[in-house]
Amino acid sequence: MRVLIVGGGGREHALAWKVAQSSRVSEVHVAPGNAGTATEPKVKNVAIAADDVGSLLMHAQENLIDLTIVGPEAPLVLGIVDQFTAAGLRCFGPTAKAARLEGSKAYAKAFFARHHLPTAAYRTFTQDNFDAQWVHNQRLPMVVKADGLAAGKGVVIADTHAQVIEASLAMFTGQFGAAGKEIVIEEFLLGEEASFIAMVDGTHVLPLATSQDHKRLATGDAGPNTGGMGAYSPAPVVTPLIHERIMNEVMLPTVRALAAEGTPYTGFLYAGVMIDANGTPNVLEFNCRFGDPETQPVLIRLQSDLTLLVEAALEGRLDEVQAQWDSRSAVGVVLAAGGYPTSAQLGQRIHGLDAAATQPGKVFHAGTVHRDGQTLTHGGRVLCATALGNTVSDARLAAYALVNLIAFEGMQFRTDIGHLAVAREQRLSTP
Ligand code: AMP
Ligand code: GLY
């Protein structure tokens, strides 16, 4: 079969790499892909932007694509699944209506409230009804979020009331374009975060391996929020008991509620949860897609054929399949461009990729491009060095061994990916 992967980041490189390993798959097209997908066996890039849904549909029809898997949120929110399905093509992801869970934080918060999902207390505002007095009466820190899509950057954790007001006004006046016309202000939650990502077929939920992302730019969880600077899988904070709570208190009620509201959900469904001291999994957000960079360490551990799981989901049979996982842990370290997340420096030559390719693990590409025989940086997050190990500590050593071979001007990365899991492992190994 021929598979189309929509997107061009690290997540899509991992998806294309994984799908191409299936003996059922003859060809994988990636739109638009990157320098990494361009060199994978059986994989070719197609020069169509991920949000150009009309051209993607034409490409899929002309090239007899059997199955499309959508990476990023933008085409989902634009209705790629609705359009492909109307044309009789199989496309894995939620419809535009179901994708609103990620596309609008105000919609999502109202959904959580309606269905009594555990989440932070909140209010929504527009510039017209903004209430500075209310802000001054709230406990700090507070969290300010742009309503719409802002590539993971539309969230400000404010330590003073003045910062809340400043961040709100910046959003109202166009810092994130139309995405900030409405904002959500919510209570700051304590706890440890985890990414809980599942495949959903409208009714059934097949949880994938757990993972944890590192949203802040710098080592020690310092600096601004980013799209994610590294991830590992599994996340030991999700104990079997917490896994069960997330399924029963978050995932299953959400999938049931979406179906009951007439917007049944098919696709990857990603709950960002903050697990508090009582083990309550408070929902921070839902994403209507696989995580980036969580996909890289999760898929490197997946032993099952992803195309079979996706087909089962499209046919409403997820209750009949199981996903097999490598029992080892995986760590992925993101190498970002200088200036990321504000203004990434593009066009820098990347050194060391050939040497890294001879080592265990896999360097997934994100913002890269081939030009005149060289691989250049072409986005904020450039690469994700991903490796397996018997423990998170071992996987981390192997991932940083890859990182140490790679260099480009301005390269930024965190030196502590997996630190919470490593600290847990160290506590367990010291009597
Ligand atoms: P979001 O896009 O809503 O997931 O927010 C991005 C990041 O900001 C999350 O991954 C958290 O690290 C942090 N964050 C968001 N909301 C809260 C909250 N209510 N309390 C504490 N941290 C939060
Ligand atoms: N890594 C966070 C996300 O994919 O939204």
Side-chain angles (χ1 to χ4, degrees), residues 1-5 15-30 36-46 65 305 307:
M1 65 198 266
R2 291 147 82 92
V3 179
L4 170 63
I5 307 284
L15 284 166
W17 168 84
K18 182 68 202 165
V19 164
Q21 285 168 10
S22 167
S23 57
R24 313 171 69 220
V25 171
S26 56
E27 210 172 282
V28 181
H29 294 196
V30 191
T37 53
T39 51
E40 289 294 338
K42 293 203 269 190
V43 181
K44 72 172 198 180
N45 286 351
V46 179
I65 296 288
D305 184 329
T307 64

Side-chain angles (χ1 to χ4, degrees), residues 105 143 145 155 186-189 193 215 225 284-285:
K105 288 192 192 283
V143 187
K145 302 182 174 186
V155 174
E186 68 180 27
E187 141 196 43
F188 180 81
L189 295 173
E193 243 177 294
K215 296 264 163 82
N225 265 326
L284 293 175
E285 59 164 350

Side-chain angles (χ1 to χ4, degrees), residues 40 81 95 136 186 191 200 221 229 236 262 310 334 346 357 395 400 410 418 430:
E40 289 294 338
V81 171
T95 59
H136 279 287
E186 68 180 27
V200 178
D221 288 323
M229 291 299 289
V310 170
V334 168
L346 311 184
Y400 281 103
T430 41

Side-chain angles (χ1 to χ4, degrees), residues 11 213 215 227-228 270 285 287 289-294 381:
R11 166 183 48 215
D213 186 13
K215 296 264 163 82
Y270 165 155
E285 59 164 350
N287 294 317
R289 50 176 175 78
F290 220 141
D292 190 344
E294 290 93 329
R381 292 186 292 175

